[in-house]
């Protein structure tokens, strides 16, 4: 049970939220959007690996 | 089974993090909830694997056909994944897509269990004819 994945995803979310506020306050909205998208892609990488492992485990166990 | 406390702890912390992220970035709240659900599903899947193994050994003892036990396992697996996806989508306020996933899951389970139904009906018909 690798719990650090949860905190890694939440950490990226918090960092992106703070950066978005920072950049949008400084008037650079497009950079803020870029940061959000970049963070989203990073998190999606982590999640797809984890969900892929989970689905493989379930496929092996239930013989799907 | 002492790691139920661990599971509860992880679930609560994941839920709190997801809730915290909800008012800043909605999509990260969904992703945190999704990863928490995935991390929680691993131990339960391993627990179920021993049960499925027990079922197989029971099948060989009681003489139940092997395919029926496999079909049971498949049905549980499909229900497991369909419920995982539809609940995650419902958290993201996408109940339309969630209901489609559930519909697909039900259809798949129906397709898989159809042979059992036809076998059962054959047995009934034979029983009635022999009277």
């Amino acid at each position: 049970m690798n719990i650090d994945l949860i905190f890694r995803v939440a950490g990226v979310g918090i960092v992106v939220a703070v950066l978005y506020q920072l950049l949008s306050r400084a008037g650079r909205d497009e950079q803020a959007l870029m940061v959000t998208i970049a963070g989203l892609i990073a998190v999606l990488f982590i999640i797809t690996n984890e969900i892929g492992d989970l689905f493989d485990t379930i496929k092996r166990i239930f013989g799907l | 089974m002492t790691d139920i406390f661990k599971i509860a702890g992880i679930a609560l912390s994941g839920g709190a993090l997801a809730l915290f992220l909800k008012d800043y970035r909605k999509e990260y709240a969904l992703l945190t909830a999704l990863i928490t659900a995935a991390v929680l599903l691993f131990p339960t899947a391993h627990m179920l694997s021993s049960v499925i193994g027990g079922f197989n050994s029971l099948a060989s003892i009681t003489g139940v056909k092997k395919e029926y036990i496999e079909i049971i396992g498949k049905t549980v697996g499909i229900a497991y994944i369909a419920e995982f996806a539809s609940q995650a989508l419902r958290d993201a306020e996408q109940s339309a897509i969630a209901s489609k996933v559930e519909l697909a899951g039900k259809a798949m389970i129906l397709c898989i269990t159809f042979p059992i139904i036809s076998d059962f009906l054959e047995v009934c018909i034979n029983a009635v004819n022999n009277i």
Side-chain angles (χ1 to χ4, degrees):
Chain A
M1 269 210 290
N2 33 22
I3 308 155
D4 57 343
L5 282 179
I6 301 176
F7 300 122
R8 198 176 299 169
V9 167
V12 168
I14 291 169
V15 164
V16 164
V18 169
L19 282 179
Y20 189 85
Q21 299 288 347
L22 204 71
L23 286 171
S24 60
R25 287 288 187 285
R28 289 186 176 71
D29 286 337
E30 54 286 343
Q31 271 93 355
L33 191 59
M34 286 300 170
V35 165
T36 307
I37 293 172
L40 206 59
I41 289 169
V43 164
L44 281 177
F45 264 119
I46 300 172
I47 282 200
T48 38
N49 287 337
E50 181 71 12
I51 301 267
D53 291 349
L54 176 72
F55 284 168
D56 287 343
T57 315
I58 289 186
K59 192 185 290 183
R60 182 172 43 81
I61 287 172
F62 293 109
L64 280 174
Chain B
M1 281 326 289
T2 59
D3 60 354
I4 189 68
F5 304 114
K6 200 173 9 172
I7 288 175
I10 295 170
L12 289 174
S13 56
L17 279 172
L19 199 63
F20 169 71
L21 283 168
K22 205 165 187 59
D23 50 3
Y24 293 106
R25 309 281 339 141
K26 268 207 188 321
E27 62 274 14
Y28 286 100
L30 162 71
L31 292 173
T32 316
L34 201 62
I35 195 82
T36 313
V39 165
L40 286 180
L41 267 184
F42 262 109
T44 42
H46 288 305
M47 271 184 255
L48 282 176
S49 69
S50 51
V51 172
I52 296 286
F55 261 122
N56 290 340
S57 57
L58 268 182
S60 56
I61 295 166
T62 55
V64 177
K65 264 199 202 153
K66 188 107 179 62
E67 301 86 22
Y68 294 162
I69 300 296
E70 275 158 21
I71 287 177
I72 291 175
K74 280 199 170 77
T75 316
V76 172
I78 290 174
Y80 212 63
I81 304 237
E83 196 268 341
F84 173 79
S86 69
Q87 289 304 334
L89 284 165
R90 250 178 246 291
D91 278 357
E93 292 114 22
Q94 303 287 344
S95 51
I97 305 173
S99 57
K100 295 304 168 290
V101 170
E102 277 169 14
L103 185 68
K106 285 174 195 151
M108 230 174 275
I109 288 176
L110 192 62
C111 291
I112 282 184
T113 51
F114 187 72
I116 295 187
I117 298 168
S118 57
D119 286 358
F120 176 67
L121 285 180
E122 267 166 37
V123 167
C124 293
I125 290 164
N126 293 347
V128 169
N129 291 349
N130 294 348
I131 293 169

